[in-house]
Amino acid sequence: MKLHEYQAKQIFSQYGIAIPRGRVASTASEAKSVAQELGGRVVVKSQVLVGGRGKAGGIRLANTPSEAEEVATQILAMQVKGLPVRKVLVDEAATIVEEIYLGVTNDRGARSPVMIASSEGGIEIEEVARIMPERLFRITIEPLLGLREYQARYLAASIELRRELWREFVGIAQGLYTAYTESDATLAEINPLVITGDGRLIALDAKMVVDDNALFRHAELAEMRDFDEEAPPEREARKYGLSYVKLDGDIGCMVNGAGLAMATMDVIKLFGGEPANFLDIGGGAGADKVAAALGIILSDSNVQAVLFNIFGGITRCDEVARGILMALKEVSTDVPMVVRLTGTNEAEGQRILAEADMLTAGSLSEAAQTAVSLANERHSV
Amino acid sequence: MSILVDKKTRLLVQGITGREGFFHATQMMEYGTQIVAGVTPGKGGEWVLDGKIPVFDTVVGAAETTGANCSVIFVPARFAADAILEAADGGIPLIVCITEGVPVQDMMQARSHITQHGSRLIGPNCPGVLTPGASKVGIIPGNIAIPGSIGVVSRSGTLTYEVLYALQRKELGVSTCVGIGGDPINGTSFLDVLAMFEDDPHTDQVVLIGEIGGTDEERAAEFIADHMTKPVAAFVAGMTAPADKRMGHAGAIVEGGSGLAADKIAALKSAGVRVAEHPDLIPEVVA
């Protein structure tokens, strides 16, 4: 789960990281009054969960409160990469002398957290990695020991930070690492961390991604989820513990397991079709989950055929078969379907489907070919 | 005949009285796996599976009494890291964690601790290990593989079944199938398993099943080029997955240009691996 900049900044500040004075606003007049409180020049920043806000015109300076109101009106009316802006953060504008980068994330290869610093802040770190990898420094953190002071000092020295700022930098690095572990984050990033005119280090931007699997122990973070940023089918899917991604094709798929779901999409494409979605019902899904998943697939009006590919392991074929029939009772549809069911409790599952006259397939290739021709027939009608 | 598990494997089931644990313990026993104990805190002293298997409160108690040398974990995600640590501290050398949805920070800590204790972890979020005809540890359906000389290693769960099933239909047998799991932080990597298959006299060739996200397949390709004498075939899922969308597995994220299926396939091909276009075609590319 991604957090908004204003939310991540609040968390960082609880860990002793200095952030600009400021507040979030939902209307232009609110933005104006925040600017009035702050006094002086402010920056008005769109709060959307995508990168590249600056380039899209979603971050602008304002010299006076009325200018802040005007800028906020414009930003609140815009979309950044297709996402409507519903909130702006109004921060006091800082005098920037230097911009650096500091972030911590999970290193899959090392199976440990990694902290990354660079003297080149203010641009995307992937860009730095691409064009000047020599300016990027990383340290692997032993998860049972946490970030040690010498490691943070190594980063400070590597990015050639002025010595008088080392102590402050080490404090920020430790605060960021603690925020990352205590929030069960998969990413905590300050870009840029700026050196101001009066020689202080301030987090001008903040980014945080929290591990969805750990939200059960973070009620306060779970509440921060911005439901407006999620399309309704995705939201509905998450409620049932399904993972769903809408795509542009016309063949709906319901599969158990992410790898098999991707392979199913690949095979559909190989036989000349286009998948309408990725949908993984997960392991051990019962009939109710299957029914909810079918409802979500059929909510996409592009869908001309549905392919079920269930290879039972922890999931039981009879449960899935019952779920399909249960869903078909609830949702009336004329979209044709083909079911490929094999594995745990297969015989019972097949029996249930046969009684209901469902179209079945013996292999993934056969199921995909059938689904493609079903969709094509509907198109030609 | 195999790696990791065989007829001598004495299995302990953590979470044996839960819905999943009980169901799959029954299936494993029917397959012929030597289950020696179960652990469910608070249920020690009970007997399950027709009164044949004793339940213990702690792993250490179960291991001391029964000589268990392998544990399979079915406990809910929030307790999984604790269960892994308990198994390692109980002296279990091989731990297979089936549970999906374990927090990443939990896994980083658990992985670090158990590595220092010398235990091997397979998973989490994996289907387990199957040595056809000898031992099934986990949830891989037993009826979709026959004994043979092909080693199978996979990051996926059900996609692994698809490949096993395709091999079986062509009467191609498997030495051992290892599901390493789809999470970003796991206990055992492709490299670990490839090295084991290379050293196993009963494995003649290997099938590797990868997917988008991370760089595990690229690392595997390097290892294959440098260290493997046995032929390797592969399938990589996610050719049609759009960039920057999360496809279910925490591991399956296409990260900033790398992690793409096409790059992985290219890396594997350049290491001499024969890559199948779809899972049903795996039998055509094995040697």
Side-chain angles (χ1 to χ4, degrees), chain A residues 1 105-113 126 142-144 177 180-186 211-217 234 243-247 255-267 269-271 275 278 280 282-286 309-316 319 340 342-346 362-366, chain B residues 19-20 23-24 27 74 77-78 98 100-113 116 139-141 143-144 155-159 161-163 165 169 182-189 192 211-216 219 235-242 245-253 255-256 277-281:
Chain A
M1 180 183 88
T105 187
N106 309 329
D107 182 343
R108 297 166 58 122
R111 296 174 168 110
S112 297
E126 290 80 6
E142 159 54 53
L144 298 174
Y177 181 72
Y180 155 88
T181 54
E182 290 188 354
S183 310
D184 270 293
T186 53
D211 182 358
D212 286 314
N213 289 335
L215 285 175
F216 68 86
R217 58 189 174 209
E234 268 92 350
S243 64
Y244 172 86
V245 178
K246 191 189 167 331
L247 302 168
V255 187
N256 64 323
L260 188 58
M262 286 188 286
T264 304
M265 287 158 47
D266 294 348
V267 176
K269 192 133 183 168
L270 214 61
F271 287 111
F278 164 92
D280 170 16
N309 185 21
I310 304 297
F311 211 125
I314 207 155
T315 307
R316 294 144 212 195
E319 289 261 4
R340 188 284 180 108
T342 188
T344 310
N345 293 4
E346 176 179 339
S363 71
L364 170 54
S365 310
E366 191 192 325
Chain B
R19 184 182 127 102
E20 301 306 338
F23 179 82
H24 289 285
Q27 301 248 315
F74 286 99
R78 62 181 68 188
I98 307 301
E100 85 177 271
V102 185
V104 177
Q105 303 258 356
D106 287 6
M107 274 317 302
M108 288 194 292
Q109 292 195 340
R111 158 83 206 200
S112 177
H113 181 81
Q116 289 164 26
I139 62 174
I140 301 173
N143 60 346
I144 55 168
R155 267 169 77 189
S156 174
T158 48
L159 177 55
Y161 312 163
E162 194 72 63
V163 171
Y165 190 55
R169 272 177 303 175
D183 278 5
I185 309 292
N186 58 14
T188 294
S189 67
D192 300 328
E211 60 182 33
I212 56 166
T215 52
D216 293 1
R219 287 167 192 242
F235 172 74
V236 179
M239 275 303 278
T240 50
K245 287 268 192 181
R246 181 175 162 150
M247 293 284 158
H249 281 180
I253 304 171
E255 291 146 334
E277 262 192 316
H278 70 78
D280 287 351
L281 294 179

Side-chain angles (χ1 to χ4, degrees), chain B residues 61-252:
Chain B
E64 276 173 2
T65 311
T66 65
N69 57 16
C70 178
S71 178
V72 64
I73 295 173
F74 286 99
V75 307
R78 62 181 68 188
F79 311 120
D82 203 55
I84 292 168
L85 293 170
E86 186 182 358
D89 287 347
I92 304 289
L94 178 64
I95 305 161
V96 180
C97 184
I98 307 301
T99 308
E100 85 177 271
V102 185
V104 177
Q105 303 258 356
D106 287 6
M107 274 317 302
M108 288 194 292
Q109 292 195 340
R111 158 83 206 200
S112 177
H113 181 81
I114 62 165
T115 304
Q116 289 164 26
H117 279 64
S119 291
R120 170 171 295 287
L121 171 69
I122 310 276
N125 187 17
C126 81
V129 186
L130 173 70
T131 294
S135 186
K136 157 177 150 125
V137 174
I139 62 174
I140 301 173
N143 60 346
I144 55 168
I146 51 174
S149 61
I150 302 175
V152 178
V153 59
S154 171
R155 267 169 77 189
S156 174
T158 48
L159 177 55
T160 316
Y161 312 163
E162 194 72 63
V163 171
L164 288 176
Y165 190 55
L167 289 171
Q168 188 204 40
R169 272 177 303 175
K170 300 283 178 192
E171 289 173 14
L172 294 163
V174 168
S175 56
T176 299
C177 173
V178 186
I180 60 171
D183 278 5
I185 309 292
N186 58 14
T188 294
S189 67
F190 277 142
L191 269 55
D192 300 328
V193 181
L194 287 172
M196 285 182 237
F197 280 137
E198 177 69 13
D199 290 342
D200 175 32
H202 300 283
T203 298
D204 294 339
Q205 58 178 317
V206 180
V207 170
L208 180 147
I209 304 154
E211 60 182 33
I212 56 166
T215 52
D216 293 1
E217 289 77 10
E218 285 85 342
R219 287 167 192 242
E222 273 174 41
F223 182 86
I224 291 164
D226 297 343
H227 303 286
M228 296 279 294
T229 58
K230 297 175 183 176
V232 181
F235 172 74
V236 179
M239 275 303 278
T240 50
D244 291 330
K245 287 268 192 181
R246 181 175 162 150
M247 293 284 158
H249 281 180

Side-chain angles (χ1 to χ4, degrees), chain A residues 124-141:
Chain A
E124 283 194 17
I125 196 65
E126 290 80 6
E127 193 65 7
V128 178
R130 202 171 56 79
I131 56 180
M132 38 191 161
E134 72 286 354
R135 299 276 175 86
L136 199 145
F137 299 90
R138 41 192 296 155
I139 42 154
T140 300
I141 300 166

Side-chain angles (χ1 to χ4, degrees), chain A residues 72-92:
Chain A
T73 308
Q74 290 165 12
I75 293 180
L76 284 166
M78 69 185 282
Q79 293 199 341
V80 179
K81 292 187 183 162
L83 289 175
V85 181
R86 292 193 170 84
K87 287 191 173 87
V88 291
L89 175 64
V90 184
D91 269 356
E92 65 179 344

